[in-house]
Amino acid sequence: MADTSFAAYNGRTVPKEDKIFGISGRAKAAIAAKGKENVINATIGALLDDEGKLIVLSSVDEAVKSLTPAEYAEYAPIAGTPAFKEAIVKAALGDYQPKGYVGVVASPGGTGSLRNAIANYSCPGDKFLTHDWHWTTYKNIAMEMGRDEETFDMFDAEGNFNLEDFEYKVNKLLRIQDRLVIIINTPANNPTGYSLSGEDWDGVVRVLNSTDPAKKVALVADVAYIDFAGDEKEVRSFLPKLEELNSNILPMLAYSASKTFTFYGCRCAATICLAKTEEVRDEFVRVLSFSARASWSNCPRGPQEVIAKIYNNPELLARVDEERAGFRNMLLSRGHAFEEEAAKVGLKMVPFRGGFFCSVPCEDPDAVSKKLEEADVFVVPFTKGVRVSIASISEAKCRKLPKLILEALEA
Ligand code: PLP
């Protein structure tokens, strides 16, 4: 059949409409028609207050407003300003002092970090590996560059992290590929809110350390939600385990300022590697910088200056941390309210630990989400269940929702 589209077909599947935008458009229309108190819009991936307004840390806002024209208008170096690189590593690693060589390259959001990791540590035609419950953009990023996706089951029948399937898929892919990019989104996974435990991480390290040393593996921890996942030290306790990995495995973090600094639209993040040698670290900086130059060039300078200002001012940093901790507690209370009510009505959930989202597994997520829309409840269907954004609804709505979802499941 003749190819009638003007745009080139180059291996991608481009949907006619973005599913999430479609649903959230209908949610907005319902709110306009019926009032926000009568609609539950649990689709939005940003932190909103109980009235549905975007939360922006006032301490960060203050720092943004203190920028001079030169601070935001000038080009930033491709890999980021020196002060930003230093600050973002502190933000990502917290108290942890790595033994290895730390490389850092700025990116426009965590999305850019993931794009750069796949671009540089896999070949066209390769598959990257991630868990089945995952942010759907991963696959689009890969397809855009002629790569594809393979998934492992994130949970076994008992609801534990499925190390067995992880091992099976790692070995399967490494039989046919010389390189493998693995993305693990933890802590506070999108869409489930699950965080790998220390034991889960030990298993991941064990599996990867038994791979053929001639094969190269890039292990990307997508930590987009780390600062809304729980106690700041505890959620970073997996970092030393990354340095137990053999030298054929390169651990990296996709660390985004989008959630941490309520900076979603500022497009600010970094890819950080913990390399065993200087050569691997320098190569990381070189190849990621090359990719950056060839795609978005440099990242916005203003947000980098803001993060540097925060880390150069202990009083301001303390205020940012304190303010964020308050909102994190609010978010965790919302999540626990949802969990509590789910347990009361007998609604099965995917294990939740923290973050912006929780999920309910079901057979036909599209049908369940459609049924919920009839009751003015808007959630996002994923492959194996529906995702609820607890970040965007009040605790009272979190308490109401489990019963409504159960009714939709049973309809
Ligand atoms: N990773 C996950 C799992 C996400 O959900 C998101 C954003 O929603 C990102 C990474 C990257 O976000 P951004 O590019 O806005 O930093």
Side-chain angles (χ1 to χ4, degrees):
M1 212 170 81
D3 179 0
T4 54
S5 67
F6 204 109
Y9 171 77
N10 46 24
R12 303 172 306 172
T13 312
V14 183
K16 290 229 157 50
E17 182 201 52
D18 183 295
K19 216 186 225 179
I20 302 186
F21 287 137
I23 299 171
S24 66
R26 292 196 291 280
K28 280 186 195 141
I31 289 171
K34 299 174 186 174
K36 62 175 188 267
E37 57 291 347
N38 299 313
V39 175
I40 301 183
N41 182 6
T43 62
I44 302 168
L47 190 56
L48 307 186
D49 68 14
D50 288 353
E51 307 309 313
K53 288 208 197 74
L54 185 74
I55 290 172
V56 180
L57 298 180
S58 64
S59 43
V60 172
D61 181 49
E62 228 176 81
V64 169
K65 288 177 178 149
S66 77
L67 289 177
T68 63
E71 281 175 331
Y72 63 76
E74 207 190 320
Y75 282 128
I78 303 289
T81 67
F84 166 73
K85 289 192 287 183
E86 202 180 300
I88 202 82
V89 168
K90 282 189 194 149
L93 304 185
D95 290 344
Y96 181 59
Q97 299 283 343
K99 291 193 234 41
Y101 295 84
V102 178
V104 50
V105 177
S107 62
T111 308
S113 290
L114 296 162
R115 188 245 171 239
N116 256 355
I118 293 176
N120 287 291
Y121 292 92
S122 69
C123 298
D126 279 356
K127 286 185 171 178
F128 78 97
L129 179 65
T130 191
H131 24 69
D132 53 357
W133 289 93
H134 66 272
W135 191 40
T136 39
T137 307
Y138 291 165
K139 185 172 170 129
N140 299 347
I141 295 171
M143 268 196 304
E144 179 75 11
M145 296 185 290
R147 277 76 161 171
D148 204 352
E149 173 187 88
E150 174 78 72
T151 60
F152 64 95
D153 292 342
M154 192 163 179
F155 303 105
D156 62 18
E158 279 74 50
N160 298 317
F161 183 71
N162 196 335
L163 193 64
E164 201 179 312
D165 201 42
F166 174 70
E167 180 164 26
Y168 173 71
K169 295 288 166 48
V170 167
N171 291 330
K172 178 180 150 188
L173 288 172
L174 284 180
R175 268 198 298 277
I176 42 180
Q177 297 179 187
D178 290 333
R179 294 172 189 284
L180 177 61
V181 172
I182 301 173
I183 302 176
I184 299 188
N185 175 211
T186 185
N189 161 269
N190 174 9
T192 65
Y194 184 75
S195 301
L196 266 70
S197 66
E199 222 174 280
D200 296 337
W201 270 114
D202 289 338
V204 167
V205 170
R206 190 159 22 84
V207 166
L208 295 180
N209 277 349
S210 64
T211 55
D212 176 353
K215 306 268 177 163
K216 303 267 193 313
V217 178
L219 173 64
V220 185
D222 176 1
V223 294
Y225 297 90
I226 192 167
D227 294 306
F228 286 95
D231 176 78
E232 281 149 26
K233 281 196 183 12
E234 219 170 288
V235 295
R236 287 173 169 77
S237 59
F238 72 98
L239 292 172
K241 294 179 194 290
L242 298 180
E243 293 201 290
E244 291 167 23
L245 287 160
N246 289 347
S247 57
N248 66 314
I249 323 286
L250 179 59
M252 34 185 118
L253 303 177
Y255 183 74
S256 170
S258 300
K259 282 84 188 172
T260 295
F261 297 95
T262 58
F263 247 8
Y264 316 92
C266 291
R267 313 313 298 144
C268 184
T271 320
I272 297 169
C273 79
L274 306 177
K276 286 238 174 333
T277 65
E278 225 172 330
E279 291 71 34
V280 171
R281 189 267 314 271
D282 292 349
E283 180 193 63
F284 166 92
V285 172
R286 187 165 52 84
V287 297
L288 264 73
S289 299
F290 183 89
S291 283
R293 184 67 172 140
S295 40
W296 51 78
S297 190
N298 39 37
C299 298
R301 184 177 192 115
Q304 297 183 31
E305 294 282 0
V306 168
I307 291 172
K309 275 177 196 276
I310 292 171
Y311 277 82
N312 282 329
N313 178 343
E315 187 269 327
L316 180 59
L317 176 61
R319 276 201 291 139
V320 171
D321 286 345
E322 196 186 324
E323 222 186 325
R324 188 192 303 115
F327 290 122
R328 181 170 59 234
N329 291 338
M330 176 194 80
L331 192 58
L332 289 170
S333 300
R334 288 179 184 175
H336 293 140
F338 188 100
E339 263 190 315
E340 242 173 69
E341 295 303 315
K344 266 191 215 157
V345 298
L347 178 74
K348 194 169 170 239
M349 289 174 67
V350 182
F352 168 83
R353 303 284 180 265
F356 279 34
F357 309 106
C358 66
S359 283
V360 173
C362 57
E363 285 296 316
D364 190 347
D366 285 308
V368 172
S369 143
K370 221 162 149 203
K371 189 83 210 153
L372 282 165
E373 282 195 28
E374 291 170 15
D376 293 314
V377 172
F378 297 84
V379 296
V380 177
F382 273 63
T383 316
K384 292 197 158 179
V386 292
R387 184 190 81 177
V388 174
S389 165
I390 54 170
S392 67
I393 57 172
S394 65
E395 186 172 329
K397 286 183 177 174
C398 284
R399 287 205 180 274
K400 260 172 86 175
L401 208 41
K403 186 163 172 284
L404 295 171
I405 297 179
L406 189 68
E407 282 166 6
L409 283 174
E410 288 172 347

